Amino acid sequence: MLDLTLIREHPQRVERALAKRAVHVNLTTFLALDEKYRQNKTQAETLRAERKRISRKIAQLPPTGPTAVAKRAEATELSARLAAIEEQLAGLTAERQAFLDQLPNLPDEDVPAGGKAQNQVVREHGTQPDFDFEPRDHVDLARRLGLIDYERGVKLGGTGHWVYRGNGALLEWALLNFFLETHVRDGYEFILPPHLLTYQAGYTAGQFPKFAEDVFAIEQGPAGPQRFLLPTSETALVNLHRDEVLAEAELPRKYVAYSPCYRREAGSYRATERGTLRGHQFNKVEMFQFAHPDASDLAHEELLARAAELVEALGLHHRITRLAAEDTSAAMAKTFDVEVWLPSISAYVEVSSVSNARDYQARRGNTRYRPAAGKPAYVHTLNASGLATSRLLPAMLEQHQRPDGTVAVPKVLQRWLGCEFLKPSTTE
């Protein structure tokens, strides 16, 4: 949620920032609503104080005396006025909150305006593989190597599902083990979150109410999904310290979680989104930090470096891209994507989004820290995929394939698979 004081004091600045996302708002109407809310709130507080004063006075008077009778009548009249004001205030509160809940985060100053076309490549690592043979695509390779059963995945779960089997399952698990082992070694606390979350968890993360249709709801309520399958571990991790005040010395709090991610992924699949590139369930390791606002940018750089180092350790050509405002998710102020090269489609695909929400999520979840001096302030929340596997595995198969149809296993994974090469399970 946006800082209300910022909206009140710098409405044009907020409007300009939102316009970078193609969100065009005129805050004049909202500010008039907010002013009416504040006036009603002041009136309600005044009436409550006056009613309390009269109640104290009544307690000091003889109960049947004329003054007590008059004061009770006055208190009754005050209560009626207060009830009317509180009814108006409840409506104004709901209307004001509904408007604020729809506003996305403000993009940072260095985030370019516009959509995907305005994304900026920050740097590249390595070079695109140059094959001296006719390379196969990841779907063909996975079938020949007996790694993924696409047909039985659809039979079990429908479109957007697959089955890892044999060395494919071992490779998937090796990736997850490698990621988790690395993050725990580097000081991140390992979390296994619940897969069913409450509405408040989705609200804090910034997904509800606007993006409620994107999740698999288990129970529906008047406000939206009362319980739903987590779309990413970030949705759980951002709620770990909801409604808590952390000690300043405890920051940053660093967590890493593994979970399957459940996504509705509404809409038709593009021809290039074959195999595991897009699905309703995939595995991901997620890094998360609750950071001091003064250290927020450094935390962002650290998370980006960690995600990129994992891709480098797998020997994959990749690039880092700064997302434009319209391509940045609603709750985030800035996002860098780590994108691996997929030769079969001559395109880069995202395997990690590294994002800084600033205090947007912390305001929604009321997560604060207590400085050595002064009032509690909101923390900054940051997250990074570390990493998602459903696009990573296709890139590994395609970039590490060899002329004889085998695929080289990255050295960092070999101890889990017990081999240096993946070999076809059937002859051509």
Side-chain angles (χ1 to χ4, degrees):
M1 189 164 62
L2 296 184
D3 181 357
L4 189 51
T5 301
L6 178 64
I7 295 175
R8 289 168 178 163
E9 296 180 355
H10 303 285
Q12 293 181 337
R13 173 181 160 191
V14 173
E15 290 174 359
R16 287 195 300 270
L18 291 175
K20 293 171 69 174
R21 290 184 177 271
V23 176
H24 302 287
V25 296
N26 185 332
L27 293 173
T28 303
T29 302
F30 171 75
L31 291 173
L33 170 69
D34 180 55
E35 180 59 29
K36 188 175 180 181
Y37 162 85
R38 290 196 284 174
Q39 290 173 357
N40 279 35
K41 186 177 181 182
T42 300
Q43 289 179 39
E45 291 170 351
T46 301
L47 289 173
R48 290 191 197 101
E50 181 63 14
R51 186 176 62 176
K52 189 174 182 180
R53 184 189 67 78
I54 292 174
S55 296
R56 286 197 301 265
K57 182 67 174 177
I58 292 172
Q60 298 169 357
L61 296 170
T64 58
T67 304
V69 172
K71 287 295 181 184
R72 281 196 292 271
E74 186 179 350
T76 300
E77 190 271 336
L78 272 176
S79 293
R81 288 170 55 196
L82 178 58
I85 289 292
E86 286 179 334
E87 184 178 356
Q88 293 179 38
L89 187 60
L92 292 169
T93 300
E95 188 177 353
R96 190 181 73 147
Q97 192 61 48
F99 179 85
L100 290 172
D101 286 345
Q102 295 296 320
L103 294 180
N105 204 347
L106 302 184
D108 280 2
E109 289 292 331
D110 62 344
V111 172
K116 288 182 180 291
Q118 280 66 50
N119 289 353
Q120 300 172 342
V121 177
V122 176
R123 62 179 180 273
E124 293 189 9
H125 177 83
T127 57
Q128 296 177 7
D130 184 17
F131 301 104
D132 57 3
F133 59 93
E134 187 65 32
R136 304 182 188 276
D137 71 18
H138 58 99
V139 174
D140 187 18
L141 286 165
R143 283 199 174 106
R144 290 174 180 276
L145 296 170
L147 306 178
I148 301 175
D149 192 330
Y150 301 105
E151 290 73 23
R152 289 186 174 90
V154 172
K155 180 167 69 174
L156 294 179
T159 302
H161 295 273
W162 53 86
V163 173
Y164 293 111
R165 58 190 307 167
N167 277 338
L170 290 174
L171 181 58
E172 177 80 357
W173 216 245
L175 285 167
L176 299 172
N177 274 310
F178 169 53
F179 300 155
L180 288 168
E181 185 178 89
T182 301
H183 298 318
V184 170
R185 180 199 65 201
D186 293 339
Y188 284 72
E189 181 182 346
F190 186 22
I191 300 289
L192 286 174
H195 294 190
L196 285 177
L197 302 178
T198 64
Y199 179 88
Q200 184 59 41
Y203 176 81
T204 296
Q207 291 168 302
F208 299 164
K210 192 170 184 178
F211 303 102
E213 295 299 318
D214 294 344
V215 303
F216 282 109
I218 303 301
E219 295 176 11
Q220 284 286 359
Q226 295 307 292
R227 291 206 303 167
F228 62 97
L229 292 172
L230 84 172
T232 168
S233 295
E234 174 209 336
T235 310
L237 295 175
V238 70
N239 284 275
L240 276 182
H241 298 294
R242 191 177 74 215
D243 295 319
E244 295 180 23
V245 180
L246 304 174
E248 187 174 32
E250 296 178 7
L251 300 179
R253 298 293 295 266
K254 300 181 179 182
Y255 298 104
V256 61
Y258 157 72
S259 77
C261 300
Y262 305 96
R263 305 278 178 90
R264 285 184 55 124
E265 295 287 2
S268 60
Y269 283 63
R270 294 186 289 272
T272 56
E273 294 174 324
R274 302 175 64 229
T276 64
L277 290 183
R278 186 181 177 200
H280 295 302
Q281 177 186 327
F282 60 92
N283 292 314
K284 182 160 66 117
V285 171
E286 185 82 8
M287 296 179 282
F288 198 91
Q289 288 197 30
F290 295 90
H292 192 288
D294 293 344
S296 182
D297 289 328
L298 288 176
H300 200 182
E301 292 174 9
E302 178 204 329
L303 288 167
L304 179 59
R306 290 192 183 284
E309 285 167 4
L310 293 175
V311 181
E312 290 173 23
L314 296 172
L316 296 174
H317 167 59
H318 64 278
R319 71 183 186 185
I320 309 299
T321 301
R322 178 190 287 107
L323 299 191
E326 292 179 46
D327 204 24
T328 302
S329 71
M332 301 303 153
K334 181 192 291 189
T335 295
F336 292 97
D337 273 1
V338 181
E339 303 170 328
V340 294
W341 176 249
L342 201 58
S344 64
I345 62 174
S346 298
Y348 291 89
V349 293
E350 173 257 316
V351 294
S352 177
S353 282
V354 186
S355 302
N356 191 336
R358 304 297 181 187
D359 63 4
Y360 184 89
Q361 292 175 320
R363 288 180 181 278
R364 295 171 78 99
N366 192 32
T367 306
R368 297 174 293 166
Y369 72 97
R370 189 181 303 280
K375 300 177 182 178
Y378 292 105
V379 299
H380 281 195
T381 57
L382 305 96
N383 69 87
S385 312
L387 301 162
T389 60
S390 58
R391 293 172 180 168
L392 192 63
L393 194 145
M396 290 169 54
L397 295 179
E398 292 195 12
Q399 290 198 35
H400 293 328
Q401 64 179 299
R402 306 195 315 161
D404 62 357
T406 63
V407 172
V409 177
K411 188 173 182 179
V412 293
L413 304 181
Q414 290 176 10
R415 62 189 172 102
W416 284 291
L417 276 87
C419 61
E420 296 182 15
F421 302 97
L422 299 171
K423 299 178 180 179
S425 58
T426 58
T427 57
E428 295 187 46

